[in-house]
């Protein structure tokens, strides 16, 4: 469903009761980003599907492409890498100024992980991912790391010793080539 359809359906009555208006936006976002509604498309296909002038491109056809794509473990592996990168911290994000100069850090963005974690957990539910779901991501900031059970949308920050925590999951690391991998 496109955004207007998701928003309109979020306000529909259920058993004769209309949900509060404040609830519509959150429910619409949830429906819009649900794995069952996501269509991973290249730019050209996205234009064909969203462009109302291309009536020969059907929703059924696009859903067929989507269903084939989300059943590929490499699609979920890329999402896991995205989560690792976001929690590790992307270099060069400016978070504040020190005097007259900007301080560049490796700022983590756990909020950016919420929807990818939803898709990953749904992938585990569907049996599309077989690897250990207990992920540990080292922060670029010294002294802590994140525990990410990929079967949920939970992210826990931990200041414990990695040697102790590492036994309960796999540690996400960057490869020297700049690509990310799981150890």
């Amino acid at each position: 469903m496109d955004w207007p359809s998701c928003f309109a359906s979020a306000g529909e009555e259920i058993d004769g009761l209309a949900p509060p208006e404040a609830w519509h936006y959150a429910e619409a976002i949830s429906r819009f980003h649900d794995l069952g509604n996501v269509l991973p498309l290249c730019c050209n296909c996205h234009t064909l599907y969203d462009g109302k002038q291309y009536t020969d491109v059907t929703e059924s056809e696009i859903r067929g492409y989507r269903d084939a794509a989300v059943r590929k473990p490499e699609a979920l592996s890329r999402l896991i890498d995205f989560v690792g990168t976001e929690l590790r911290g992307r270099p060069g994000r400016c978070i504040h100024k020190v005097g007259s100069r900007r301080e560049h850090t490796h700022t983590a963005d756990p909020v950016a992980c919420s929807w990818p974690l939803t898709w990953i957990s749904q992938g585990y539910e569907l049996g599309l991912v077989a690897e250990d779901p207990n992920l540990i991501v080292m922060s670029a900031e010294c002294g802590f790391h994140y525990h990410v059970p990929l079967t949920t949308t939970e992210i826990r920050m931990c200041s414990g010793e990695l040697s102790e925590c590492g036994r309960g999951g796999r540690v996400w690391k960057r490869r020297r080539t700049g690509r990310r991998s799981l150890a």
Side-chain angles (χ1 to χ4, degrees):
M1 285 194 292
D2 60 9
W3 174 249
S5 300
C6 287
F7 194 79
S9 71
E12 292 175 348
E13 289 187 4
I14 301 169
D15 295 329
L17 298 172
E21 196 168 322
W23 180 78
H24 293 189
Y25 187 76
E27 179 61 20
I29 289 280
S30 179
R31 291 178 186 193
F32 189 66
H33 289 288
D34 184 85
L35 183 62
N37 194 49
V38 174
L39 299 170
L41 304 172
C42 69
C43 294
N44 292 332
C45 289
H46 200 284
T47 299
L48 287 172
Y49 182 65
D50 284 346
K52 302 299 179 194
Q53 69 269 28
Y54 302 108
T55 55
D56 59 329
V57 179
T58 66
E59 180 178 341
S60 166
E61 183 179 12
I62 295 297
R63 285 188 181 278
Y65 295 138
R66 187 273 321 271
D67 292 344
V70 297
R71 284 189 175 87
K72 294 182 179 180
E74 61 267 18
L76 292 169
S77 291
R78 285 183 177 205
L79 285 174
I80 292 169
D81 276 346
F82 173 82
V83 168
T85 300
E86 288 301 321
L87 293 178
R88 169 83 175 136
R90 292 189 183 271
R93 285 187 174 155
C94 294
I95 59 169
H96 61 282
K97 287 185 176 182
V98 176
S100 62
R101 66 181 176 84
R102 289 180 186 235
E103 183 70 25
H104 292 281
T105 64
H106 283 76
T107 304
D109 188 2
V111 174
C113 300
S114 61
W115 285 111
L117 283 172
T118 300
W119 301 330
I120 293 166
S121 68
Q122 289 175 354
Y124 273 95
E125 239 177 70
L126 295 171
L128 302 174
V129 185
E131 56 198 22
D132 183 357
N134 298 309
L135 186 66
I136 298 172
V137 180
M138 295 296 300
S139 172
E141 308 286 323
C142 294
F144 70 93
H145 54 275
Y146 297 96
H147 290 266
V148 187
L150 296 173
T151 54
T152 71
T153 58
E154 185 179 344
I155 299 172
R156 293 185 308 251
M157 191 182 329
C158 178
S159 58
E161 290 293 322
L162 184 62
S163 59
E164 293 296 316
C165 294
R167 294 184 191 145
R170 57 194 166 111
V171 178
W172 183 87
K173 296 181 181 180
R174 287 183 196 251
R175 291 183 194 167
R176 289 187 185 161
T177 61
R179 293 186 48 102
R180 279 136 319 281
S181 68
L182 296 170

